[in-house]
Amino acid sequence: MIRKRVTIQEIADACNLSRNTVSKIFNNRGNVTESTRQFVMMKAQELGYYTQELPAPPKAAAPGSIAVLSSSNPLNHHFGALFIKAFTDAVCRSGYSVQMYELTAQEVSQLQLPSQMAIDNTLGVLCIELFDEAFIRHVSALGMATVAVDGYCGANRSMIPCDILSMENVTSAMRITKQMVEQGAGTLGFVGDVLHCNSFHERWGGFCAALRDAGIPVDRDVCILHPDGGEYADIDWTVAQLQQMPRLPEGFVCANDYHAVKLMLALKRMELSIPGDVMVAGFDNTPESAIIEPGLTTVNIHSADMGVLAADVLLARLQSPQRPFCLTYAQTEPVFRSSTKKG
């Protein structure tokens, strides 16, 4: 059933496409690539354009479907939006369709697949923004080609029957931490739940390794390591965490840019200067990191390239089901900006 409150123009604007292109897709006319059709359909579903299952792919379509499973809509995030667009394009070019499903907390905890997911026609699964070990193991045991992006804390050390793809975290976290030490930081803190997901845990590991190399002890008293949740979005809560510390460190490395931006707002509320009083670094290179004042030192992730790489890994698994499972890291690079540069 169509919800008239969402228009074709609104969908076109959200996809950065022309109204004519989106109209062709919904009216099944004109020459529009399958990857574009899939992307528009997923964005329309996200906006609430209709409540029924997505229209079936054209009749010339795929020999089977690839399911994207997530506990948090990846299209709402900088990394996820670029990743999914590239992944969908690559998979559809190979003749498969893509269906995206956002899981409820209950489905994850009870190891339930979405009721609308056609298992018999699903050949592969991509798990993204999904950090529950039991659920990923459950999906991996179903016999479908499975790729987990990032994964639960410790996934890189687990004997799990699926392929894992991650951005490189340790080396880049070490490099931004080392740069802050070179800028004069004698004490450094970390912000983020280091058990939330494998990438956060690895970034924490890189941070600790850089401190050890510099002969600086890891001091949890000047870290914010609270379990991941809505508290990190609350500036007042962050201010309270800083005020409870026995002393403020000379710099913070944050698990991602979201935490770093919130931290910077809290420091500004306390009338502290960045980087004069406290240096701050993030991870992800989101658009916000470049426009906030001062510019945020961060780490660039090749999100779209990782989407293509995930498709390559999954398609290779479909072609060779018996090959050894692989753990693949995509290189990242630090982006040094004003938030960690003194003088």
Side-chain angles (χ1 to χ4, degrees):
M1 182 179 296
I2 294 177
R3 297 180 178 177
K4 295 183 178 179
R5 63 184 177 85
V6 180
T7 67
I8 293 291
Q9 186 61 59
E10 289 172 325
I11 297 172
D13 291 342
C15 296
N16 291 320
L17 295 171
S18 70
R19 187 185 188 283
N20 183 50
T21 298
V22 175
S23 179
K24 287 180 181 179
I25 292 171
F26 282 100
N27 290 287
N28 292 317
R29 58 180 176 82
N31 184 20
V32 180
T33 66
E34 175 62 12
S35 61
T36 300
R37 191 195 77 86
Q38 290 283 343
F39 179 65
V40 169
M41 289 302 184
M42 287 191 291
K43 180 60 70 173
Q45 185 182 49
E46 175 192 346
L47 295 174
Y49 185 68
Y50 41 72
T51 57
Q52 298 299 320
E53 189 175 353
L54 290 176
K59 291 186 178 179
S65 177
I66 304 301
V68 176
L69 302 182
S70 176
S71 59
S72 174
N73 191 336
L75 296 176
N76 292 336
H77 309 287
H78 174 69
F79 169 77
L82 296 173
F83 180 101
I84 291 296
K85 175 66 171 65
F87 174 82
T88 300
D89 183 73
V91 169
C92 290
R93 286 178 184 274
S94 296
Y96 300 91
S97 64
V98 175
Q99 301 293 330
M100 190 163 69
Y101 306 94
E102 185 172 354
L103 301 164
T104 66
Q106 181 177 1
E107 287 173 328
V108 173
S109 65
Q110 296 183 1
L111 307 182
Q112 295 178 340
L113 294 173
S115 58
Q116 67 272 33
M117 180 176 165
I119 301 295
D120 293 341
N121 193 49
T122 302
L123 301 179
V125 177
L126 176 79
C127 297
I128 182 171
E129 293 290 324
L130 190 56
F131 306 131
D132 186 277
E133 179 177 0
F135 189 88
I136 292 180
R137 287 188 177 278
H138 173 68
V139 172
S140 300
L142 295 177
M144 297 178 286
T146 302
V147 175
V149 181
D150 187 0
Y152 56 89
C153 179
N156 62 328
R157 301 186 302 277
S158 301
M159 298 295 291
I160 185 168
C162 77
D163 297 302
I164 300 175
L165 173 65
S166 177
M167 67 290 294
E168 198 290 315
N169 296 291
V170 176
T171 301
S172 286
M174 290 182 69
R175 288 182 64 189
I176 59 176
T177 304
K178 180 181 177 181
Q179 190 246 12
M180 295 168 77
V181 172
E182 292 172 347
Q183 289 289 312
T187 57
L188 286 167
F190 190 91
V191 177
D193 178 3
V194 301
L195 300 179
H196 172 60
C197 59
N198 200 56
S199 62
F200 279 21
H201 190 68
E202 289 184 334
R203 292 167 196 178
W204 162 255
F207 165 79
C208 293
L211 290 185
R212 287 194 298 268
D213 288 348
I216 299 174
V218 177
D219 187 354
R220 288 175 175 262
D221 288 340
V222 295
C223 297
I224 302 176
L225 306 176
H226 193 273
D228 192 74
E231 295 88 349
Y232 283 97
D234 186 342
I235 304 302
D236 291 333
W237 178 85
T238 303
V239 169
Q241 300 303 303
L242 295 171
Q243 292 176 334
Q244 291 172 10
M245 294 179 179
R247 65 197 176 286
L248 281 179
E250 293 164 286
F252 284 101
V253 173
C254 300
N256 60 15
D257 287 350
Y258 178 82
H259 290 345
V261 169
K262 296 298 181 183
L263 175 66
M264 290 174 72
L265 294 176
L267 292 169
K268 290 177 181 180
R269 183 172 295 181
M270 296 169 66
E271 300 185 349
L272 294 168
S273 69
I274 305 166
D277 295 318
V278 182
M279 292 183 281
V280 179
F283 208 110
D284 287 343
N285 197 24
T286 60
E288 293 80 6
S289 68
I291 62 176
I292 194 169
E293 182 59 38
L296 176 64
T297 287
T298 183
V299 174
N300 185 55
I301 299 171
H302 298 281
S303 307
D305 291 326
M306 285 187 64
V308 175
L309 184 56
D312 290 344
V313 171
L314 192 145
L315 294 171
R317 175 63 55 193
L318 288 172
Q319 292 297 317
S320 304
Q322 301 306 316
R323 72 176 192 151
F325 294 108
C326 64
L327 169 60
T328 305
Y329 282 98
Q331 189 176 39
T332 58
E333 298 91 20
V335 179
F336 296 110
R337 299 195 180 108
S338 301
S339 68
T340 60
K341 295 181 181 178
K342 290 188 176 182

